[in-house]
Every structure is written in C-alpha cells, then in structure tokens.
Amino acid sequence: MEKVITDIQVIKDKLTEKGVKGDLSILDKAYLWAKEAHKDQLRESGDSFIVHPLGVAYILVELEMDVDAIAASILHDVVEDTDITLEEIQREFGESIALLVDGVTKLTRIEFKSKEEQQAESFRKMFLAMAKDIRVIIIKLADRLHNMRTLVYSPPEKQKRLAKETLEIYAPLAHRMGIFKIKWELEDLSFRFLQPQEYYSLAQQIAQKRDEREKFIGEIIEILKDKITSAGIKADIDGRPKHLYSIYQKMKNKGKALNEIYDLTAIRIIVDSVKECYGVLGIIHSLWKPIPGRFKDYIAMPKPNMYQSLHTTVLCPKGNPLEIQIRTWEMHKTAEYGVAAHWQYKEGNLNKHLGQKRSWFKQFMEWQKELDTHEYMESLKIDLFNEEVFVFTPKGDVIDLPYGAVPLDFAYRIHTDIGHRFAGAKVNGSIVQLNYPLKTGDIVEILTKPNKAPSRDWLKVVKTSHAKSKIRSWFKKERQEENIEKGKEILEKELRKLHFDPATVLKDEYLEKIAKRYNYSTPNDIYAAVGFGGFSGMSIAKKIIEEYKKTLPEAETDHLSQVNLHKKDKKDATIGVTVKGIDNLLIRFSKCCKPVPGDEIVGYITRGRGVSIHRADCPNITFENRERLIDVEWNETKKVNYPVELSIYAWDRRGILQEVMNTVAEEKANIVAVSGKGKEDGTATIRLTVEITDVSHLEKLMSKLKNVKSVINVVRHGKRGEQK
C-alpha cells in the first residue's frame, strides 16, 4: 500500500536525512499554496488531493533531487487543475520553478480534435521544456509513478489506459534516462493492471519457490565473499530478485514455463574502484565457467543513458545459469537514479553533460516537430521502447542504434550528407544488403557516391525516426516546387472523391489554419508535405472540408460535388417548373440553353420523353417547330440549383484562372466543370459550367467576373447571337 504523506515536515526531514542542501522555507511556501489551491479537491481514493503532490515530492527526495525540483513537484498540478496561473507561480517562486511546473503541465485547456492529438502535443511541450531543464522529465516520471501506485482506486477503463501508456512511453523513458529504480516499478505496476491474471499467477509461482532460491543464492554469495575477501577486495554482495515483468517477458519471448527460467535472481557486487571490478570478474570466471556471448562490458562502453556495469552469466555447480553484475558505488547510484544522480554535483552543466552522453535525445528533439500526430506517437513509442545495438565505425567509435536498425540508419546517424549519398555498406568487411539488421559488435563502413540521392523506398527500410526525418526533409527541400504541385493534385483528387469541388474548398484561408496546427508557415508547406508523403492526402482533405464547413451558415447545406449534382433525382431538378393545365407530365431541362429561374421559358413536346424546357431565345426553338411548343412557368415555391455555361474572354496572364474560380466561389456558385485555352494573340477563353439559383444570381456573378482584372467579356451560352 502506498505511504500516504499529508505533512510537508516529512519531506523536509527526509531531505535533511539525505543531506540535500537548500532553502527549505520555499517548500513550506509551496505546500501552503498547493494545499489552499487544492483544498476542495479529492483523489479517487477519497484522500485530500494534496497527498498526491506530496507523494511525488517524496519520490524526488528519494532520488536526492534539489529543493527547486521538489517545490515544483508540490506545485505541479495547480496550473492544470486550479485557477492559479503560471504567471503567479513565476512571480512568487521564480523563473526556474515556473519552468518546471509549466513543463509537466498537460495541455488540457486547448481544444483538440482527438485524445491522441492532445496527448501528442502535451508530450511535445514536455520534451521542449526538458531540453531546457532535464528535471522536467524526472518530475513527470515521479508524478506518473505515484499515480500508478494509487491506480487501484480508479475505474477499470482508466486503469487499462494509463497502464498501457505507462508501459509504452513512461517506463521506456525512465530506461532512456537511466532511472531503473522507477522503470522497474512502472513496468510491474503496468503489468499488474494490464494482465492481472498473469501477474498474480506468476507472483504466486515465484513465491512458492522463494525459500529454495534464497538458499541457493545464499550459498553462492558465501563462496564469492570468501574468495573476494581473500583477494583483499572490499565488496558489498547481494541477490537481486528480477522483476515480475522482466520474467514474464523472458517466458513469453523464449516460449518457456517458469520452471525453465533459471536466472530469476541476479547477484550484484559493488566495489570501490574500476580496477576492482575487473579483479572480481577474474575471480568469478576462475570459479565458474562463463557462458559464451553473455559477457557485456558496459564500463568500457557505457550505454547512452550513462549506465555502467560488467555483466556476466556463469554456470553454477548445479548447472544453473546465474547472472552477475559488477560495478562501483558511483556506477550503482547512476544505475538506480540515472540522470537524477548527476543533478546535484553537475548543477548548471548537467544539460551539457547529458547532451554529450545521450545522442538519442538530441536526435529526438530534431525530428519531433516534423511528424503529424499519429506518426509522432508511433515514432515516440518505437524510439523509446526498442532495445539498442552498439556498432562501430571503422575508426572504432561506438554508435548506438535501436534494435533492427540497418546500415542506412547508421549512415544518417554519422552525418546527413553521408546518408543522402549512401550507395552501399560493408559490415565486418563484407558487402551487405540494404535491409541487413545490424548486431552489437558489427563494424560498419558506408560506401557513398557524389551524385547519389535518396529514394522514397528508403522510408520503408530505415527504422529510426531520425533517418526517416532526414529523408523526408530532403524531398521537402530539394523538390519543393514539384512537391507543391504534386500535393495540389493529390488534394484535388481526394476532395473530388469526397464529392467536394476543389475550386470551392481548396483555399488558402483553410490551409493556413491547418498549417498553423502542424507548425508550418504557409499553405505551400502543406501542399509540399502532402506531395512528399509527410501527410496523407485524404487526412488533409478531410481537415480542409472541416474548415470549409465552419464558414457555412447553419441553415445552409454543404456544396455538393459534380458527382453528387449529376446523381440528383431528376424529379428534384424539375420541381421548379409547372406545365399549365397538365399534371403528371415528365419534364426535363434542355442542355442546349440551360434555362434558370427568371428566364422566359417555353416547353417543347418531345417524342416519348415528355416536355423539354428551353429559354424563349434558344436558337433551337425555330418557326418550324412552333406547333410543339407549350406554355410553362417557373414554380418559385422551392429553390433549386441550375447549371449554366459561361465563356470568359480575357487577356492571358498568370493566375487569371485562379482569380476567376475564387470569384465564383465568393458568389456561392458551385463550379461543375472548367476548361481553358490560350491563343496566339495573347487572349484566353475560360469555359465554366456553374450552378446558380436564378437569373439575378447569374447576373450578379457575371458582373463580378467582368470586374476581374484582364477579363474582356463574359457570355452565357445557348442564346441567339452569342459571341463565338
């Protein structure tokens, strides 16, 4: 059961015990502020809300964090959950504490389209703050750990959701930060809520054989103590039971039952110096036979999260494999607390120190702005969760990559230009295929060609988000104009699929809002992103339609596409006309003159196809067929859209077609068809078929089109004496 802390004095006493220095009065002030702000709020457990920030603070005290970080943890929920503003925090507690509070505050007061988008933007915000101050992520991990410890009081649906998020993001993040003390507990707690049956069954099975296992480990420790002490080395030796989730993963990955997993406990040996680490390793290998391939020297080659230890697995007297870890006390502190262990004595230089040690974080900050919401969350999970491989350059430099990475990932990690000019790779002296998965210890040499350029197929091969980001960036920059045109074509095609006319909805005003949402500057950036594959054309098309619909009055129906217009029921298209003295007569509109309400019209009795409606001045209505004419009139009880063909004669210039289409859209006339042709004399003819409601609508539209710069004349088709 989680220890409930309700008084700041417990935190201060623990800090004093740990020897953490600083002005503790700031903690009293933070406590009073938080307690007052949260006074009317309760946790799901029924406890006063203040127990949560105090619980988070206590975890940070155990990590030996500084006073500012602990004060920020006490205040970390006040901006998100109360009326207190960040400006007030900064005024009362200073910029450093305000930055930490802001970094861990989720974006809950901004309206997002989906839970995933809100989650993604909150992570982006947190990591940007983390780049300025690494303590942000340590506070966030402590916050999540305390929430997981008290998750039993939450509804089952919330338990599953938070446990899944913790296992996919926060536990791997703790691993990346080297804070294994938090990582292991987050994994076990997530396992408990996601798979309770497997969790409790495994816990029971392990408990049943605990005595037998402890007896075996005790015997091994006695042998080691005797030999190591005889060698004049002072060592602390203990048995560390492996965590339930790591045991479960091993059983699952290897397809073994618990009784087939022998290394349920690892032995940890802590000594005073690096020299003694290697001395102890020699003693162990002289006692028991090491298992080939199971020795790892993380002292000579530390992990990117600063972890250092010697790992070896040996066969003990009973034939059981036993994992042994050897490290110094300083290495042990780093292994347990990760970056937190370096905060106190690195102070302001910690971020610089970490920038040298953790290449992953630098790359992560580079590509995190370039992905859309879904890609960002997926890449975040992949890059955090994947195990690492360590490979060498021909000069002996160590490069860390996620498990499954290929030579092309390695090339882009070395340098962007090397990646762009990639022509092949040698691994351990031999040419390998493009999709060869690198393994720890491989020596990789990249072959390049000066005129080589990235291929879109590379995006299917590379595993790291860093490489994908650089490849996409190349296509974006090197082929900007091509991508813009391609993006426009894709969006026009997708909009037509959705039955919307591109001329009506594909406008800069809508694209600017979408661009802003994804941190782009202009509509052309969105076109280019669609063109080079950074965004799905259909997803952007749907967002454009959403923005377009926001501009329509509530009572107005959406504009329909050409497809929908032609699929209209013919009865709907003829409701606007009545034949005098005759009922139930089939009526259709002629295609030659396309009459609209307000035009003088006549009916023409056809053979077997009912009455065809023409304009009175239609050239096809001649003296010879007067006997077939019949009186008809407009029925104005119901508004209907009617197609009209127009010819626009203009001086040819760049952008004329777009201006014409924009003018039509402004008059809320839907474009059904458009074509254009330039002439040698410098003029151009634009043919439009538009949907309008009546003659006044048409006349207004034609008047506006005549006012477009360079337009000479606008003529309606199907009229006697029209200009040809």
Side-chain angles (χ1 to χ4, degrees):
M1 184 65 69
E2 168 68 11
K3 179 180 180 181
V4 177
I5 301 171
T6 58
D7 191 347
I8 191 63
Q9 192 59 44
V10 177
I11 305 293
K12 293 163 66 178
D13 291 345
K14 190 72 175 177
L15 274 171
T16 303
E17 179 189 323
K18 289 278 188 178
V20 176
K21 297 177 181 179
D23 180 9
L24 300 188
S25 66
I26 197 75
L27 300 182
D28 291 312
K29 183 177 179 180
Y31 171 68
L32 291 175
W33 264 62
K35 188 175 182 181
E36 175 64 22
H38 295 299
K39 66 180 179 181
D40 297 323
Q41 298 173 348
L42 296 176
R43 297 277 286 169
E44 288 173 324
S45 62
D47 291 325
S48 174
F49 192 92
I50 195 65
V51 304
H52 171 61
L54 288 177
V56 175
Y58 193 82
I59 293 170
L60 293 178
V61 173
E62 290 181 316
L63 293 176
E64 299 182 17
M65 291 299 292
D66 64 304
V67 171
D68 275 7
I70 294 165
S73 72
I74 296 171
L75 295 164
H76 81 272
D77 272 331
V78 296
V79 174
E80 186 176 324
D81 294 333
T82 77
D83 293 331
I84 290 177
T85 65
L86 193 64
E87 289 72 22
E88 290 177 276
I89 297 292
Q90 183 168 347
R91 186 171 61 248
E92 294 293 330
F93 295 92
E95 187 175 346
S96 174
I97 291 176
L99 173 66
L100 296 175
V101 172
D102 184 40
V104 296
T105 300
K106 294 194 294 291
L107 299 171
T108 55
R109 299 183 184 183
I110 299 174
E111 186 176 339
F112 293 96
K113 294 291 182 185
S114 66
K115 181 71 177 176
E116 184 179 49
E117 185 179 346
Q118 179 184 359
Q119 183 187 39
E121 293 308 314
S122 292
F123 277 120
R124 288 186 207 263
K125 176 175 178 284
M126 180 177 73
F127 285 119
L128 286 170
M130 173 182 168
K132 298 177 183 176
D133 196 324
I134 199 69
R135 292 175 294 177
V136 166
I137 201 63
I138 301 172
I139 296 171
K140 192 63 184 176
L141 287 172
D143 172 44
R144 178 49 61 107
L145 178 57
H146 188 266
N147 279 327
M148 290 300 293
R149 285 175 176 176
T150 57
L151 195 59
V152 67
Y153 300 106
S154 299
E157 183 182 340
K158 183 178 179 181
Q159 290 177 352
K160 297 280 186 185
R161 177 173 56 82
L162 290 185
K164 184 173 185 290
E165 183 182 70
T166 299
L167 197 59
E168 288 180 342
I169 295 176
Y170 286 98
L173 190 54
H175 173 84
R176 287 285 185 177
M177 298 295 105
I179 311 176
F180 290 96
K181 184 179 179 67
I182 287 180
K183 178 215 174 187
W184 291 321
E185 190 174 352
L186 288 176
E187 286 181 340
D188 278 0
L189 287 168
S190 299
F191 179 32
R192 172 186 168 189
F193 290 107
L194 286 173
Q195 295 169 285
Q197 188 173 345
E198 291 88 342
Y199 174 88
Y200 288 110
S201 173
L202 185 58
Q204 186 179 18
Q205 292 179 64
I206 290 173
Q208 288 171 353
K209 293 193 174 184
R210 180 176 290 129
D211 292 344
E212 179 184 335
R213 190 169 62 254
E214 287 180 352
K215 180 182 177 184
F216 166 70
I217 292 297
E219 292 171 355
I220 296 296
I221 288 175
E222 286 303 315
I223 294 171
L224 284 170
K225 279 184 177 177
D226 181 58
K227 292 291 183 181
I228 292 172
T229 302
S230 298
I233 298 173
K234 181 183 177 183
D236 183 273
I237 308 172
D238 65 2
R240 177 183 63 83
K242 291 199 171 179
H243 295 269
L244 289 179
Y245 184 70
S246 64
I247 295 170
Y248 173 74
Q249 286 293 97
K250 183 172 287 191
M251 291 167 60
K252 182 180 175 182
N253 294 337
K254 295 186 176 181
K256 292 185 177 182
L258 183 63
N259 58 9
E260 297 177 280
I261 305 291
Y262 295 105
D263 52 340
L264 297 180
T265 304
I267 286 180
R268 180 184 293 145
I269 302 172
I270 305 175
V271 294
D272 292 330
S273 69
V274 172
K275 180 180 178 182
E276 289 175 341
C277 288
Y278 288 100
V280 168
L281 179 68
I283 293 170
I284 292 168
H285 285 178
S286 69
L287 284 170
W288 302 296
K289 185 176 181 180
I291 297 176
R294 296 292 298 274
F295 170 67
K296 294 182 177 68
D297 188 346
Y298 294 120
I299 293 179
M301 196 167 66
K303 291 186 177 183
N305 57 21
M306 301 179 292
Y307 176 87
Q308 288 183 288
S309 279
L310 297 176
H311 288 200
T312 187
T313 303
V314 296
L315 285 174
C316 293
K318 295 181 181 180
N320 293 341
L322 177 68
E323 182 183 312
I324 301 175
Q325 300 172 355
I326 311 162
R327 61 179 68 146
T328 66
W329 286 103
E330 183 181 342
M331 292 173 192
H332 178 61
K333 188 172 183 180
T334 299
E336 291 290 294
Y337 302 149
V339 297
H342 292 259
W343 176 257
Q344 294 177 76
Y345 58 86
K346 292 292 178 184
E347 296 178 350
N349 295 321
L350 178 64
N351 282 337
K352 182 180 177 182
H353 173 71
L354 293 173
Q356 297 166 349
K357 291 283 187 180
R358 294 181 294 107
S359 57
W360 163 79
F361 181 66
K362 289 190 293 183
Q363 292 137 22
F364 179 76
M365 294 305 296
E366 283 179 19
W367 59 254
Q368 73 154 333
K369 284 189 174 182
E370 300 179 17
L371 305 177
D372 66 21
T373 297
H374 181 69
E375 286 180 323
Y376 177 77
M377 291 307 299
E378 289 305 306
S379 296
L380 175 60
K381 293 170 188 176
I382 290 169
D383 273 33
L384 284 177
F385 196 78
N386 273 350
E387 291 297 322
E388 296 159 303
V389 294
F390 299 90
V391 296
F392 295 90
T393 68
K395 293 182 179 180
D397 295 327
V398 180
I399 304 295
D400 64 291
L401 292 164
Y403 181 80
V406 298
L408 197 48
D409 291 297
F410 176 91
Y412 275 104
R413 178 65 60 83
I414 297 300
H415 196 280
T416 300
D417 287 340
I418 292 175
H420 288 342
R421 298 199 305 271
F422 179 91
K426 288 183 179 181
V427 176
N428 303 325
S430 301
I431 296 287
V432 296
Q433 293 182 339
L434 188 66
N435 61 351
Y436 171 84
L438 296 172
K439 295 183 282 294
T440 294
D442 282 344
I443 301 173
V444 187
E445 180 184 354
I446 300 301
L447 309 175
T448 62
K449 289 183 179 178
N451 297 324
K452 201 78 167 72
S455 162
R456 290 187 187 275
D457 291 336
W458 288 3
L459 290 169
K460 301 174 184 176
V461 177
V462 294
K463 302 300 180 189
T464 60
S465 300
H466 173 72
K468 289 179 181 178
S469 168
K470 295 301 180 184
I471 295 167
R472 288 192 180 107
S473 180
W474 186 89
F475 282 105
K476 178 181 176 182
K477 292 176 183 176
E478 295 295 318
R479 301 183 179 178
Q480 181 79 351
E481 292 302 320
E482 178 186 329
N483 287 327
I484 289 172
E485 290 305 315
K486 186 174 181 180
K488 285 181 180 178
E489 289 176 11
I490 290 171
L491 285 176
E492 287 174 358
K493 181 179 177 182
E494 298 297 353
L495 286 167
R496 289 191 184 99
K497 282 183 183 177
L498 295 170
H499 309 316
F500 280 82
D501 176 25
T504 302
V505 299
L506 195 55
K507 292 186 176 180
D508 284 356
E509 63 187 274
Y510 308 140
L511 286 165
E512 283 170 359
K513 293 177 181 178
I514 296 166
K516 187 176 180 182
R517 188 184 306 176
Y518 291 110
N519 296 320
Y520 285 110
S521 301
T522 67
N524 277 347
D525 293 333
I526 292 292
Y527 287 132
V530 173
F532 72 74
F535 288 126
S536 155
M538 180 57 76
S539 69
I540 297 299
K542 288 179 178 177
K543 287 179 172 61
I544 291 169
I545 291 168
E546 287 174 12
E547 294 298 335
Y548 165 68
K549 286 181 177 179
K550 290 176 184 177
T551 65
L552 298 177
E554 288 186 14
E556 185 177 330
T557 58
D558 297 339
H559 283 291
L560 299 177
S561 68
Q562 180 179 357
V563 174
N564 277 346
L565 285 170
H566 286 295
K567 285 184 178 179
K568 275 188 175 182
D569 189 287
K570 289 189 176 180
K571 286 185 178 180
D572 288 341
T574 59
I575 287 173
V577 171
T578 301
V579 179
K580 291 183 179 179
I582 302 176
D583 296 323
N584 299 322
L585 194 64
L586 179 63
I587 298 173
R588 65 184 182 86
F589 287 92
S590 70
K591 294 182 180 178
C592 55
C593 60
K594 294 183 171 57
V596 298
D599 285 331
E600 290 185 21
I601 54 175
V602 295
Y604 180 82
I605 301 173
T606 65
R607 289 183 174 88
R609 292 187 297 162
V611 175
S612 175
I613 307 300
H614 292 257
R615 296 212 311 263
D617 60 353
C618 176
N620 291 328
I621 300 299
T622 63
F623 180 81
E624 289 76 18
N625 52 31
R626 288 287 176 182
E627 72 276 9
R628 291 182 177 273
L629 299 183
I630 189 172
D631 288 338
V632 293
E633 62 184 13
W634 292 105
N635 179 357
E636 298 180 359
T637 59
K638 196 166 186 179
K639 290 289 184 181
V640 179
N641 286 331
Y642 299 85
V644 174
E645 289 184 7
L646 300 175
S647 282
I648 301 167
Y649 302 91
W651 296 108
D652 200 0
R653 64 175 175 84
R654 187 174 182 179
I656 180 69
L657 177 59
Q658 188 62 48
E659 287 186 32
V660 166
M661 296 173 77
N662 288 343
T663 301
V664 174
E666 286 169 6
E667 291 304 312
K668 299 195 181 320
N670 192 41
I671 297 177
V672 174
V674 61
S675 64
K677 186 177 181 179
K679 296 180 181 180
E680 292 181 359
D681 62 359
T683 63
T685 302
I686 300 170
R687 297 287 294 266
L688 290 178
T689 301
V690 296
E691 288 287 342
I692 55 92
T693 56
D694 54 29
V695 166
S696 63
H697 186 193
L698 175 62
E699 289 174 349
K700 186 178 179 183
L701 172 61
M702 292 177 68
S703 175
K704 287 289 183 71
L705 287 172
K706 289 176 182 177
N707 288 329
V708 173
K709 183 181 177 182
S710 302
V711 169
I712 301 168
N713 198 12
V714 180
V715 176
R716 180 181 177 186
H717 286 224
K719 184 177 180 180
R720 290 192 187 101
E722 77 176 60
Q723 182 177 339
K724 296 294 183 184

